[in-house]
Amino acid sequence: MTAAHAPVADTPPSEHVLEVKDLTVEFFVDGQWLPAAIDVSYDVKPGEILAIVGESGSGKTQSSMSLVGLLPPNGRARGQALLDGQDLFAMSKGRLRHVRGKDIAVIFQEPMTALNPVYTIGFQIIETIRTHFPMGPKEARERALELLRMVDIPEPERRIDSYPHELSGGQRQRAMIAQALACDPRLLIADEPTTALDVTVQAEILSLMRDLRQRIDSGIILITHDMGVVADMADTVLVMKDGKVVERGPVRQVFYDPQHPYTQRLLASVPHLGRPDTDATEQTDGPAAPATPAATDTSVREPARTSTGSLQAAPIESDLVLSARGIDIVYEGRKKGTDFKAVSGADLDIARGEVVGLVGESGSGKTTVGRAIVGLLPVKTGSLEICGISVVGADAQTTQPLRSKVGIVFQDPGSSLNPRFPIGESIGEPLFLHRGLRGAELSGRVETLLDQVELPKAMRNRYPHELSGGQRQRVGIARALALEPELLVADEPTSALDVSVQAKVLELFRELQREHGFACVFISHDLAVVEMLSDRIAVMHHGKIVEVGTAQQVVSAPKDSYTRRLLAAVPLPNPDLQQERRQERDRLLAEAAKHND
Amino acid sequence: MTIPPPDTNHPAGPVEAGAPADLLAAESQAEELKMRDVEGLSQGQIVRRRFFRHRGAVVAMIVLGAVILLAFTSVGFGNWTGWWKHTPLQTGNVTGTGAQPTLSLPTWLGGDGFVWGDHPFGRDESGRDVFARVMKGTQTSLIVMFIVGIVSTVIGVIVGALAGYFGGRLDRFLMRVTDLVITIPVLVLGAVLGALAAGKNSAFLLAIFLGLASWTTLARLVRGDFLTLREREFVDAARVAGASSRRIIFKHMLPNSIGVIIVNQTLLMSTAILLETALSFVGLGITYPNISLGQLINQYQEAFATRPWLFWWPGLFIVVIALCVNFIGDGLRDAFDPRQRRIPSQRALRRAERKAAARAESAAAADSTVGASGKETT
């Protein structure tokens, strides 16, 4: 430990915490060294936040992990990385272990898996402290408490003895930040620290990190793919593509005057929230028939549910693909009385050809609603009519016709395709089961579908593992459209994709919707995406639909306080606007706090 | 923008402005390499290819094939008598040195030159030909192995799949039945039933009984696998598409747990051979006039000092068969595990290094002009 301290005094005080020169990371694959990062150079000053942006596979994570010697066994790094003047790559493993956790700390993406589930968070923080400092258990515990207070965990005295599963996602991430800060690191590497979190929690964590950087005076490397987060946090931005740095510069320069075409494309593909204000023309040429009667109808009716039965029998009845009144969806517990009500009293109408966005945080019940619509979950109470068939308490026989009228696109394209089926077979399965198509007829139809989602016909015989994420999601969409459904449920179809791929898939989705005119429930946690696609937006919170309205109304003039908070938490991919939004959010939070008192 | 979408597999699109050409070339090469391994192959083909890369498994498969061929053609099966001149039960004269094995190794293995002879494995105290007896015993062991494998696979898969897929009351019932079967000691069961089944087809019956008692591990594994698979979205997708439960279980889920099943069953089969041997060794499994390898060892145990060859040959075949099956199982497990990546040996690393150096040299010679633009694009 003393060895780690000494060079700071020996070498002339450099103004950089970290200087990386010509860093090349390579992986040994199939008898060859393949580069994951090539000649990457950057430096970090104390108190500076350097954001490394790029899509998956661009080498942003691997180049940073190589600094702490955490490459997988078939990887190696070359070049120079000077932490306060000493080369990290020239260090012995023992020395490097002293550096890790003490001088360089890492915040990982998924706090649930990065924290050990069998130890309390207090134990894990204390462990870090006592590994690097000669400190008694009592002292260390004091220090851990202090750290937990610093990251604003409520009731730190109680939380210090909590296990990771007892904390919420945001609290877990706070605990991990506390652990990372335990030894006052010179450099903090935050690898997608908020990707796994809800947007409101993300806003909290980001504000905590911004707050901390002023207090701890370390350099921070922020690895992310979210341009909104970059705009919110970074001083300097490094854009990586395919292992090399394509652009670098101060945050404003990169956002306002991107030089490299890749950066321009990346910025262009980020969905902007609240776009109708700036270019309303583009928004209005959306789907052909925006069913306004249903829209106004629902948003007004929401509070008075008792009389909805008669109100709902409006003239637009025949135009509704889906009409839900006060539905409860319950997950049955193992024992009596442990049932969990995921959705309570939800009202929703969807007209033919209409796209309704369903927004909410994780746990708000939005996916549950989607799964209930396609019949994967039973609805016990209320009334739910889909394509004229009441599905509440109905048996499989009655709902059988719905199988060909309702389709679903799942969130994770990797998991929603059977890995043992060629994709042609996956797409053709509904056709085989419902229309009895086989042979040439079936393959002809499958090829048409592949054409529609802009995949080459030859892909029919490929297997899911041979496809990229975006291609897989296209296959998922093709399968959902195979039977020409009247209603499509899209459950976060793009959240597993990179932003530029997401833009393409969304564009395709919009075109297909225009062409086929299916009604759609578009479930997402990303307000910007939902706003781009939807005619109307329904906001869910704690299993209730708190607000329904046209997309423009919900985004520009939200009625419900939760919607306002949700909107304020979405980071804008623009440094200056984001600053305004941050202040707006702080104001809202203060208001809410006052309200609670 | 005219840049190709990043989600296609063709990185060799139009070159981006300002991007060094050599880097793009390297990138496309990398992509190609990644795809080359799996391109256009079905899952089955990939598994086969990985299996054939496992040298031990391939050798084991060949050896096992040879053993099967030898055992069944030499002494025949059923009413058919094979090409070997002696039968397992025919007695003969053992005076003089007649009982010694006539097989002698070639000179380069330290023998007196290769001779097959009249009784290559020698004869026992009643003058019966040991080669014929060992072959017959090997047949029995192989039959027991395969029947145990088939019976336990069928039962284990069905019980596990139903329990895992439907869950609830059916799951609880099936798992309690499984618990019940687990509590039955297989050795005792084999002993009792083996005695009951003594007769002409005792090997078949014994194998079926052993199979009926040894499906429990597989049932639990398949159930566990199905519990995870049930949560996968492709199962939901099939359900939404209107597939029946039977179709989902057999067409969608079972092929996805085939790895677990094959691996467990190969290992079970090698255990079955040893179990049969053990039962026969204590005199409870296969009984006279049937022959098994374990029974042979049991019969000859007193002759160990005087006629050790009576011991070696049955023992050798037990070891060979069990080893082969284990190796094949090992190869299959590696082949079915997609996460497994081969860790490069030091030699492979050095070879790649040399290649890369040679490439870099030729590249440097070829385009020394690009040099400047190949650096950072700040």
Side-chain angles (χ1 to χ4, degrees):
Chain A
M1 226 176 321
T2 43
H5 266 301
V8 186
D10 290 351
T11 48
S14 123
E15 60 165 321
H16 299 303
V17 181
L18 178 78
E19 282 175 82
V20 174
K21 281 182 207 143
D22 300 331
L23 169 65
T24 298
V25 179
E26 293 169 307
F27 285 94
F28 190 81
V29 182
D30 278 328
Q32 269 192 315
W33 286 102
L34 300 179
I38 306 154
D39 289 339
V40 177
S41 305
Y42 56 82
D43 36 51
V44 186
K45 293 191 203 67
E48 182 191 12
I49 298 185
L50 170 80
I52 303 183
V53 192
E55 308 200 331
S56 41
S58 64
K60 57 188 195 301
T61 300
Q62 295 304 352
S63 62
S64 311
M65 283 304 142
S66 70
L67 299 181
V68 274
L70 289 181
L71 285 177
N74 65 337
R76 67 168 182 195
R78 278 180 299 144
Q80 220 182 10
L82 302 176
L83 180 77
D84 288 327
Q86 40 176 343
D87 192 351
L88 290 168
F89 294 144
M91 263 179 213
S92 69
K93 278 191 178 151
R95 282 275 303 284
L96 194 60
R97 207 165 55 230
H98 284 299
V99 171
R100 270 206 297 262
K102 185 172 181 309
D103 296 325
I104 303 180
V106 183
I107 302 172
F108 292 97
Q109 175 171 352
E110 178 55 81
M112 191 65 221
T113 50
L115 289 170
N116 192 334
V118 302
Y119 293 117
T120 61
I121 57 166
F123 176 92
Q124 294 180 58
I125 297 173
I126 291 167
E127 184 189 28
T128 314
I129 299 170
R130 297 193 66 198
T131 311
H132 293 285
F133 298 108
M135 204 184 257
K138 260 202 188 133
E139 264 175 283
R141 195 181 157 87
E142 277 308 306
R143 169 90 179 119
L145 269 173
E146 192 185 307
L147 284 162
L148 288 178
R149 252 176 244 128
M150 190 158 96
V151 296
D152 296 331
I153 283 194
E155 301 177 77
E157 288 79 9
R158 198 161 66 84
R159 290 292 176 214
I160 192 167
D161 294 317
S162 300
Y163 289 91
H165 70 267
E166 297 173 310
L167 304 176
S168 70
Q171 286 171 343
R172 278 198 288 269
Q173 194 60 285
R174 280 169 198 272
M176 199 153 72
I177 293 176
Q179 189 185 12
L181 297 179
C183 304
D184 291 323
R186 300 282 295 140
L187 179 71
L188 192 60
I189 300 175
D191 183 7
E192 307 255 7
T194 58
T195 308
L197 303 175
D198 277 320
V199 58
T200 47
V201 183
Q202 162 173 306
E204 286 169 23
I205 296 288
L206 291 180
S207 84
L208 168 71
M209 284 180 68
R210 214 176 13 253
D211 185 35
L212 285 173
R213 85 194 258 207
Q214 280 143 16
R215 281 196 258 165
I216 58 176
D217 197 39
S218 13
I220 298 179
I221 297 179
L222 176 71
I223 302 165
T224 183
H225 66 270
D226 189 336
M227 290 315 257
V229 172
V230 175
D232 196 10
M233 299 283 294
D235 302 312
T236 318
V237 180
L238 206 65
V239 183
M240 281 186 80
K241 179 176 193 301
D242 299 323
K244 55 192 201 297
V245 177
V246 294
E247 178 145 3
R248 71 176 73 215
V251 64
R252 284 194 171 67
Q253 185 195 319
V254 172
F255 273 90
Y256 295 138
D257 185 23
Q259 298 298 313
H260 194 276
Y262 175 72
T263 319
Q264 291 164 1
R265 188 156 56 95
L266 198 64
L267 283 168
S269 54
V270 177
H272 287 246
L273 186 62
R275 192 181 280 174
D277 293 334
T278 48
D279 47 11
T281 42
E282 200 192 323
Q283 181 62 24
T284 42
D285 65 20
T292 34
T296 47
D297 180 68
T298 328
S299 52
V300 176
R301 195 189 311 118
E302 183 222 331
R305 208 188 305 125
T306 41
S307 60
T308 44
S310 54
L311 256 178
Q312 185 247 344
I316 44 152
E317 165 93 340
S318 59
D319 260 5
L320 287 181
V321 199
L322 177 139
S323 140
R325 286 289 163 276
I327 52 169
D328 289 351
I329 304 168
V330 176
Y331 286 101
E332 277 173 36
R334 272 178 172 272
K335 291 178 200 136
K336 273 206 173 131
T338 57
D339 293 0
F340 172 68
K341 201 182 239 187
V343 174
S344 60
D347 294 352
L348 195 65
D349 284 318
I350 297 168
R352 213 164 280 282
E354 186 190 28
V355 180
V356 174
L358 202 54
V359 195
E361 299 183 354
S362 49
S364 64
K366 55 187 195 306
T367 297
T368 310
V369 170
R371 291 173 71 87
I373 291 173
V374 294
L376 287 170
L377 286 171
V379 181
K380 289 278 163 64
T381 47
S383 83
L384 176 61
E385 223 171 80
I386 302 168
C387 304
I389 298 172
S390 170
V391 300
V392 177
D395 55 0
Q397 201 78 46
T398 339
T399 54
Q400 187 60 29
L402 283 182
R403 294 275 156 268
S404 59
K405 288 183 182 167
V406 183
I408 182 166
V409 181
F410 290 95
Q411 173 172 10
D412 180 4
S415 154
S416 66
L417 296 172
N418 189 337
R420 304 271 162 170
F421 276 22
I423 61 168
E425 206 172 321
S426 282
I427 297 175
E429 185 172 37
L431 291 166
F432 167 73
L433 289 170
H434 287 276
R435 306 269 157 85
L437 295 187
R438 49 186 82 215
E441 212 182 337
L442 180 66
S443 45
R445 184 83 186 96
V446 168
E447 280 172 12
T448 323
L449 282 163
L450 280 172
D451 237 19
Q452 282 176 353
V453 295
E454 292 161 20
L455 285 176
K457 287 185 181 120
M459 284 216 165
R460 264 185 52 208
N461 295 323
R462 298 282 199 91
Y463 283 80
H465 66 265
E466 302 172 62
L467 271 54
S468 68
Q471 287 173 331
R472 278 185 219 156
Q473 199 53 287
R474 281 164 199 260
V475 173
I477 294 174
R479 176 176 57 185
L481 293 180
L483 294 171
E484 298 274 339
E486 289 173 33
L487 177 64
L488 188 73
V489 176
D491 184 5
E492 307 236 15
T494 58
S495 64
L497 305 177
D498 274 325
V499 52
S500 65
V501 181
Q502 162 175 305
K504 292 221 171 52
V505 172
L506 288 178
E507 189 48 48
L508 171 79
F509 193 85
R510 189 138 74 160
E511 251 166 54
L512 287 171
Q513 203 274 336
R514 211 171 295 169
E515 228 170 87
H516 296 255
F518 50 81
C520 176
V521 181
F522 195 94
I523 300 167
S524 179
H525 66 274
D526 191 337
L527 266 167
V529 169
V530 168
E531 190 217 1
M532 194 171 111
L533 286 174
S534 315
D535 303 321
R536 287 192 298 136
I537 295 180
V539 183
M540 287 198 76
H541 186 46
H542 291 326
K544 292 200 170 62
I545 295 183
V546 294
E547 179 161 5
V548 186
T550 61
Q552 187 151 9
Q553 179 251 309
V554 171
V555 171
S556 54
K559 291 201 189 82
D560 190 81
S561 65
Y562 172 72
T563 316
R564 274 200 289 271
R565 281 210 300 283
L566 194 66
L567 280 165
V570 179
L572 284 176
N574 180 319
D576 293 313
L577 290 182
Q578 172 57 24
Q579 204 169 355
E580 281 171 33
R581 163 151 301 185
R582 204 156 59 215
Q583 284 152 5
E584 162 77 7
R585 182 176 163 273
D586 292 343
R587 196 182 55 75
L588 271 174
L589 282 178
E591 218 170 76
K594 215 184 291 170
H595 190 72
N596 282 347
D597 293 340
Chain B
M1 238 140 275
T2 54
I3 294 149
D7 59 329
T8 64
N9 279 326
H10 312 290
V15 173
E16 282 171 48
D22 54 339
L23 284 183
L24 268 190
E27 182 211 329
S28 75
Q29 193 184 18
E31 193 76 10
E32 216 172 276
L33 267 173
K34 231 185 291 165
M35 292 312 293
R36 199 179 61 189
D37 224 28
V38 288
E39 192 178 19
L41 294 176
S42 71
Q43 204 87 6
Q45 280 168 312
I46 294 167
V47 167
R48 212 169 309 140
R49 177 187 282 196
R50 295 172 70 120
F51 179 78
F52 282 118
R53 262 190 216 153
H54 196 292
R55 208 167 295 161
V58 174
V59 170
M61 208 163 72
I62 293 168
V63 171
L64 186 66
V67 167
I68 291 172
L69 205 67
L70 184 69
F72 279 87
T73 60
S74 58
V75 292
F77 186 72
N79 291 328
W80 173 59
T81 49
W83 48 262
W84 187 241
K85 47 201 165 205
H86 305 287
T87 62
L89 298 176
Q90 160 199 34
T91 52
N93 181 15
V94 280
T95 50
T97 58
Q100 290 276 358
T102 53
L103 176 73
S104 83
L105 296 173
T107 38
W108 53 270
L109 275 175
D112 316 323
F114 181 75
V115 184
W116 194 246
D118 203 27
H119 298 285
F121 292 1
R123 278 178 289 170
D124 66 6
E125 69 278 6
S126 334
R128 291 174 294 202
D129 181 52
V130 176
F131 177 75
R133 288 178 71 78
V134 168
M135 287 303 116
K136 197 74 195 170
T138 307
Q139 274 187 19
T140 314
S141 291
L142 288 170
I143 289 170
V144 169
M145 176 178 93
F146 283 113
I147 289 180
V148 169
I150 292 166
V151 170
S152 64
T153 307
V154 170
I155 301 176
V157 164
I158 289 177
V159 170
L162 292 180
Y165 180 78
F166 289 106
R169 200 174 295 168
L170 184 67
D171 177 29
R172 284 196 289 277
F173 171 71
L174 288 175
M175 282 303 108
R176 289 306 79 76
V177 172
T178 311
D179 289 344
L180 199 70
V181 176
I182 288 176
T183 57
I184 300 171
V186 180
L187 260 174
V188 174
L189 186 81
V192 173
L193 296 175
L196 280 180
K200 198 159 170 18
N201 288 324
S202 66
F204 281 100
L205 284 171
L206 178 75
I208 288 172
F209 288 133
L210 287 181
L212 286 177
S214 56
W215 51 266
T216 47
T217 323
L218 181 69
R220 299 209 143 176
L221 285 174
V222 171
R223 172 179 175 265
D225 225 32
F226 267 52
L227 286 178
T228 15
L229 284 173
R230 202 173 58 169
E231 304 301 319
R232 294 275 293 274
E233 283 178 337
F234 69 82
V235 174
D236 285 340
R239 219 172 277 160
V240 171
S244 63
S245 290
R246 199 173 64 184
R247 187 181 162 86
I248 292 176
I249 291 178
F250 289 106
K251 191 109 198 314
H252 285 273
M253 291 165 87
L254 206 53
N256 278 293
S257 49
I258 201 80
V260 170
I261 295 170
I262 287 190
V263 169
N264 183 59
Q265 286 319 89
T266 44
L267 300 179
L268 177 84
M269 280 157 81
S270 75
T271 333
I273 283 216
L274 298 179
L275 182 66
E276 180 272 319
T277 311
L279 275 174
S280 305
F281 179 76
V282 293
L284 293 169
I286 308 285
T287 45
Y288 184 85
N290 295 301
I291 300 166
S292 88
L293 295 175
Q295 186 204 18
L296 287 180
I297 294 179
N298 175 34
Q299 252 172 39
Y300 300 143
Q301 58 183 324
E302 280 120 42
F304 184 68
T306 49
R307 292 179 172 135
W309 62 85
L310 295 181
F311 228 63
W312 292 342
W313 296 109
L316 179 75
F317 274 82
I318 291 172
V319 171
V320 166
I321 296 172
L323 261 187
C324 282
V325 174
N326 268 326
F327 265 109
I328 293 172
D330 203 33
L332 285 172
R333 188 187 49 216
D334 288 359
F336 275 105
D337 186 358
R339 284 163 307 173
Q340 174 139 353
R341 223 172 272 151
R342 288 186 303 167
I343 296 191
S345 66
Q346 280 304 315
R347 223 179 64 194
L349 288 182
R350 274 199 299 275
R351 203 184 316 139
E353 204 98 325
R354 276 201 302 277
K355 252 192 229 163
R359 227 191 3 252
E361 235 165 70
S362 64
D367 50 19
S368 50
T369 45
V370 190
S373 69
K375 281 285 159 199
E376 282 299 325
T377 48
T378 312

